[in-house]
Amino acid sequence: MRGKGGPAVRRVVAAASPLAANPFESVLRGIALEAGLDAVPQGAVEVGGLHLVGGDPEVVHPDVVDRGRRIALEADSWEFHSDKEAFQRDCWRYTVLVAHGWVVLRFTWWQVMHHPGWVRECVRRAAERAAA
C-alpha cells in the first residue's frame, strides 16, 4: 500500500499474527509495538489461586501481553461484551491480572481506530512506569 497511510498499514500487517482473535487486536498490537512494548497476541498469564465459584481457569489470555513489563492490553468491543456472562468473565480476568501485579489497559474499537496516537501515548506511559 502506498500513500498517506501506507507506512502505518505496513507496520500493522507486519505485526499480524494468526494468534490474534481479530484484526482489532492486531491493530492494538501494532500500536503497542510502536509504543515500545514487546507485545505478543493472546499471551498466556498464570493466575492460579483466585477462583470464583465454578472453577475459573489457572491461565488467562489477554488480547496483547508484554510479559517483561507485566502489561496486558485488552481490545474491548460490544460484539464480545454483550451478555452478562461475558461481562462477568472479563471483570474477573482484569481483576485477577491486577491482583497478580499486572497493569491492564482497556481500549475500545473507537479509541484504537480513531485515536491511535492517544492509545500509543497511554501505552508508552504505562511502559515507562513499569520500567521505573
Side-chain angles (χ1 to χ4, degrees):
M1 178 170 182
R2 294 182 233 181
K4 182 179 176 185
V9 169
R10 287 190 296 276
R11 281 192 300 274
V12 170
V13 169
S17 166
L19 298 176
N22 53 54
F24 174 28
E25 289 181 14
S26 293
V27 173
L28 179 57
R29 181 169 171 246
I31 293 170
L33 291 167
E34 289 178 344
L37 261 59
D38 296 321
V40 297
Q42 298 293 322
V45 178
E46 292 185 27
V47 293
L50 289 174
H51 298 290
L52 292 173
V53 175
D56 292 302
E58 294 285 323
V59 176
V60 296
H61 296 85
D63 298 331
V64 178
V65 172
D66 182 323
R67 286 188 185 88
R69 293 179 179 90
R70 298 178 71 86
I71 296 174
L73 307 180
E74 293 287 351
D76 287 338
S77 66
W78 289 113
E79 182 177 354
F80 297 104
H81 301 89
S82 58
D83 64 29
K84 183 179 178 180
E85 290 77 24
F87 181 67
Q88 293 287 355
R89 188 173 48 252
D90 287 346
C91 286
W92 172 82
R93 185 173 66 248
Y94 304 151
T95 300
V96 297
L97 283 165
V98 171
H100 280 82
W102 286 73
V103 171
V104 178
L105 301 177
R106 300 173 61 195
F107 297 103
T108 66
W109 181 91
W110 185 82
Q111 292 166 338
V112 169
M113 299 304 175
H114 295 284
H115 298 283
W118 176 80
V119 172
R120 187 171 32 260
E121 183 61 17
C122 289
V123 172
R124 187 190 66 74
R125 288 183 187 199
E128 283 181 355
R129 186 172 178 199

